[in-house]
Amino acid sequence: MTTTTTTLTGHSILAGREVPGAGGTTRAVDPATGEHLGPAYTLLDEAQLAEATAAAEEASASFGDLDPQAHAGFLERIAANIEAVAGELVERAGAETGLPAARLNGELARTTGQLRLFASVVRQGDHRGVRVEHALPDRTPLPRPDLRQRKVPLGPVAVFGASNFPFAFSTAGGDTASALAAGCPVVFKAHNAHPGTGELVGRAVTDAVAACGLHPGVFSLVYGPGASIGQALVRDPRITAVGFTGSRAGGTALMATAAARPVPIPVYAEMSSINPVVVLEGALRGDVEALARGYVASLTGSSGQLCTAPGLLFVPAGETGEAFLAAVERALADAAGQTMLTPGIAGSWREGVDALGAQEGVGVVARGAEGSTQHAPAPVVFESDVPTFRANPVLQEEIFGAASLVIRYRSPEELLGAVRRMEGQLTATLHLAEEDHPIAAALLPVLERKVGRILANGWPTGVDVGEAMVHGGPFPATSDARTTSVGTLAIERFLRPVAYQNLPGDLLPPPVQEANPWHLTRRVDGRLQPAEHTEGDRA
């Protein structure tokens, strides 16, 4: 059992208070050994959950109008608090997930980095979408009123932790960071597979709330039975939006609940994706061995438990395609299974692999070796052809883990037809040489309608956190193709526009006041006026 210098309580944190749950208990399991980890975590019932959402609603007004410097400082304090317990976090997360320390250290750095990135967004303030149109009393045939617009926070946001990213898509991960940056209090539903990791990060956020003098309802960490307490959280009338990363079944269930409320709310769910990779003829005239190694590395990293893993690969039929598959077989021979996140996820992977392998017209290219720990199945690559792919929807189902399907295509036209039949995805990748550009040009407009990110001569795993990233895509990859859950654009999910017409100047909120006291980027009478940069702003 892992030990840390911090004593874990096993309780939820409701607006700064440690609260034992009245709805039973759960324990984390070390997926490498099957050992149960302490402490037992108490689960909230619905009445206790309401304490968190009520506190979040009480915090909304003051937190939503926080000035940029204080707001950015709060996000930076969270990052510093997380870094102060980095060693404990990596140790506990490793025990709860089976992920190696190198992966977890990188993920932790990504988590604190995106908090600081959102702090810079808050300081510059262009996410507030401020527009000012001065009155034109002499305009004909009708005068124009004084109009001012800004974006305001939606209100309390429910965020659900992901199984596969105990830091970057968890307690203080991208959904939480972007919601807090938008000025929305967060009620975070911890993932029961890594509760100790969640508590340590939850304390870091709670301590930052207190240190910055904010209303304690700005953040709560709740533990509860996944289905019942999650549904109750989305039904709660004080919750105004939802951030979710997980299965299609889980995401669509939350979407249905949110849509059935008396006042429906948006659910920003990242769900399933098989991230097609298209290998064109010209790419196979290069180093085929390196191409195959890159494919296998992308497929097997983190045991394939990444939402951007390449679950589908198109390759030309014929000699060049055969050479590539032979290289894949050689590369996979050196790959062993890695510990999967939970026994349940490993079991679902095996069921998915068995189901795909049983389909008519599907064969096995190669298998790796079983891993040395429990729940570390051998990675596998299957193969089929375009007619089978188009006829059988099972071939488009995500298998969460290191399993992929290669589809052989006989012509560019057959390839285009197959791509048109795909479901919505997070990513699509093209491996090509200059001679392939005409085919790629025909593929691009089709792919733009199917995915949120298009890559060339790379691999989809590894998502940069920055200004231009899109981590989203058409359903069923996500519930809303207009958004992203990674990058600074993610903040837009939790804001809405409000216009002020002819309000007296002393009643206007700071972002739209004439003097621009917060020094925000604004559009005034149709012209962009950049922010007045100060130390700490984005250059």
Side-chain angles (χ1 to χ4, degrees), residues 178 403 414 461:
S178 55
E414 190 177 57
T461 44

Side-chain angles (χ1 to χ4, degrees), residues 238-335:
R238 289 161 290 217
I239 294 298
T240 62
V242 177
F244 171 84
T245 300
S247 69
R248 187 188 306 193
T252 54
L254 296 182
M255 290 164 61
T257 298
R261 288 176 29 151
V263 179
I265 58 173
V267 174
Y268 299 111
E270 181 203 318
M271 295 178 287
S272 62
S273 182
I274 54 176
N275 306 296
V277 176
V278 177
V279 179
L280 299 174
E281 283 281 0
L284 295 177
R285 305 192 204 287
D287 190 339
V288 174
E289 298 291 335
L291 189 65
R293 288 194 300 271
Y295 169 51
V296 170
S298 184
L299 172 63
T300 59
S302 296
S303 195
Q305 299 165 121
L306 300 173
C307 48
T308 53
L312 181 65
L313 186 143
F314 293 96
V315 66
E319 291 185 8
T320 55
E322 291 292 341
F324 173 73
L325 291 184
V328 168
E329 185 175 1
R330 289 189 289 274
L332 202 59
D334 296 329

Side-chain angles (χ1 to χ4, degrees), residues 12-38:
S12 296
I13 304 173
L14 305 187
R17 298 184 301 110
E18 293 176 358
V19 178
T25 61
T26 188
R27 284 179 179 266
V29 175
D30 185 332
T33 65
E35 176 187 9
H36 283 81
L37 304 173

Side-chain angles (χ1 to χ4, degrees), residues 348-362:
S348 294
W349 182 90
R350 294 185 191 278
E351 291 175 4
V353 165
D354 290 344
L356 180 58
Q359 301 303 306
E360 185 177 352
V362 174

Side-chain angles (χ1 to χ4, degrees), residues 37-403:
L37 304 173
Y41 274 79
T42 62
L43 306 177
L44 298 182
D45 60 24
E46 291 191 27
Q48 292 177 306
L49 179 66
E51 296 179 39
T53 58
E57 185 177 52
E58 291 173 6
S60 290
S62 59
F63 186 52
D65 282 332
L66 202 61
D67 76 81
Q69 292 303 322
H71 196 162
F74 165 57
L75 297 173
E76 291 165 341
R77 177 63 70 95
I78 297 173
N81 287 355
I82 291 171
E83 289 169 344
V85 292
E88 296 176 49
L89 279 169
V90 169
E91 179 187 7
R92 180 70 188 198
E96 291 183 330
T97 66
L99 294 170
R103 149 71 197 269
L104 291 169
N105 277 304
E107 187 185 330
L108 191 145
R110 168 179 168 172
T111 303
T112 56
Q114 68 189 358
L115 283 161
R116 293 189 171 100
L117 178 62
F118 277 114
S120 71
V121 170
V122 167
R123 282 196 175 93
Q124 180 157 303
D126 50 314
H127 68 289
R128 298 175 185 269
V130 179
R131 295 168 178 246
V132 175
E133 287 188 306
H134 292 102
L136 296 175
D138 297 328
R139 189 183 69 174
T140 59
L142 295 172
R144 184 175 76 186
D146 184 272
L147 285 167
R148 294 158 192 257
Q149 180 191 118
R150 66 162 175 161
K151 292 179 181 177
V152 300
L154 293 180
V157 172
V159 175
F160 289 75
S163 63
N164 59 335
F165 280 89
F167 300 137
F169 281 87
S170 193
T171 315
D175 286 343
T176 296
S178 55
L180 291 176
C184 297
V186 168
V187 179
F188 182 82
K189 166 63 177 68
H191 199 288
N192 289 342
H194 40 80
T197 306
E199 182 182 345
L200 288 169
V201 178
R203 288 188 184 193
V205 181
T206 300
D207 290 348
V209 171
C212 294
L214 305 180
H215 189 295
V218 164
F219 178 81
S220 289
L221 171 71
V222 303
Y223 296 93
S228 60
I229 211 71
Q231 290 289 337
L233 185 56
V234 176
R235 284 195 304 268
D236 191 294
R238 289 161 290 217
I239 294 298
T240 62
V242 177
F244 171 84
T245 300
S247 69
R248 187 188 306 193
T252 54
L254 296 182
M255 290 164 61
T257 298
R261 288 176 29 151
V263 179
I265 58 173
V267 174
Y268 299 111
E270 181 203 318
M271 295 178 287
S272 62
S273 182
I274 54 176
N275 306 296
V277 176
V278 177
V279 179
L280 299 174
E281 283 281 0
L284 295 177
R285 305 192 204 287
D287 190 339
V288 174
E289 298 291 335
L291 189 65
R293 288 194 300 271
Y295 169 51
V296 170
S298 184
L299 172 63
T300 59
S302 296
S303 195
Q305 299 165 121
L306 300 173
C307 48
T308 53
L312 181 65
L313 186 143
F314 293 96
V315 66
E319 291 185 8
T320 55
E322 291 292 341
F324 173 73
L325 291 184
V328 168
E329 185 175 1
R330 289 189 289 274
L332 202 59
D334 296 329
Q338 302 170 36
T339 302
M340 299 194 79
L341 293 158
T342 68
I345 289 174
S348 294
W349 182 90
R350 294 185 191 278
E351 291 175 4
V353 165
D354 290 344
L356 180 58
Q359 301 303 306
E360 185 177 352
V362 174
V364 174
V365 173
R367 292 183 187 269
E370 293 282 328
S372 59
T373 65
Q374 290 191 48
H375 314 303
V380 58
V381 173
F382 295 95
E383 64 176 331
S384 189
D385 56 25
V386 169
T388 304
F389 176 77
R390 294 184 63 170
N392 188 346
V394 173
L395 274 59
Q396 291 202 53
E397 293 180 3
E398 180 187 40
I399 300 175
F400 188 62

Side-chain angles (χ1 to χ4, degrees), residues 134 148 505 508-520 522 532:
H134 292 102
R148 294 158 192 257
L508 290 170
V512 294
Q513 289 176 8
E514 194 66 24
N516 192 11
W518 287 356
H519 309 292
L520 305 177
R522 310 197 304 181
E532 299 173 18

